[in-house]
Amino acid sequence: MLDSQESAARERRSTVRVVPPVRPRKLAKVPFVELADGRLQGVVSSGSDIARVYVSSVAAGSRTFSCSTNNNRPCGGLRGAPCKHLQALVAEAVLQYGKERVARYLRVEAGPDDDLVRLLDGGQESAQAAVVFSRFLRHLSYLELPDTTEPVAEMHWFPAMGTP
Ligand SMILES: [Zn+2]
């Protein structure tokens, strides 16, 4: 999974040098992942449609999982087992947090050779995608702030955190 992602990324980079990019910016496969609210949750872009994203999540403890579009349409790939979006989400979480931390958070007993996705045996559940998706949008708005030492305008709402 990771290897194919990596080689896809490498391919994309090497293509860019030769051919001008068609789209100005390609969304990362997993633009948002977090361990929050007792869940591993995040946003995974659709492999086929650039405009569509999936919100995938796994509950800690129960190991139940869910996946739907940001408009709350159920993911067609989710049939009793984690779909490719959940697989991508878990892979990204392992990259960002390390496997041990993700396993501990989800309360999954995972040995060094265990694939975390295979240990998600709680079955599927429906979860509200909207909450995660709005967190993602908020996360994006912070990412897109220009790199500047100027005080962040939004922070003026908090008197104690305004101009130093
Ligand atoms: Zn899915």
Side-chain angles (χ1 to χ4, degrees), residues 11-84:
E11 212 172 275
R12 224 177 292 133
R13 279 197 294 274
S14 60
T15 311
V16 167
R17 268 181 241 128
V18 195
V19 184
V22 179
R23 297 186 188 92
R25 183 165 162 247
K26 195 174 192 319
L27 206 63
K29 177 76 186 156
V30 184
F32 181 56
V33 58
E34 64 175 3
L35 299 171
D37 302 333
R39 310 185 75 90
L40 160 62
Q41 57 193 18
V43 171
V44 181
S45 63
S46 159
S48 50
D49 182 353
I50 189 77
R52 192 188 307 156
V53 295
Y54 289 86
V55 174
S56 308
S57 73
V58 180
S62 69
R63 301 196 288 260
T64 50
F65 44 83
S66 71
C67 183
S68 61
T69 68
N70 54 310
N71 300 321
N72 267 327
R73 293 234 185 104
C75 168
L78 198 62
R79 295 196 189 91
C83 59
K84 59 180 182 175

Side-chain angles (χ1 to χ4, degrees), residues 2 5 30 33-35 40 86-104 106 110-112 114-117 120:
L2 280 180
Q5 267 186 16
V30 184
V33 58
E34 64 175 3
L35 299 171
L40 160 62
L86 277 155
Q87 291 169 15
L89 177 77
V90 170
E92 184 66 24
V94 167
L95 275 183
Q96 284 197 27
Y97 299 104
K99 188 170 155 185
E100 236 174 82
R101 187 169 163 201
V102 176
R104 212 180 321 129
L106 293 177
D114 285 331
D115 182 352
L116 279 183
V117 172
L120 305 180

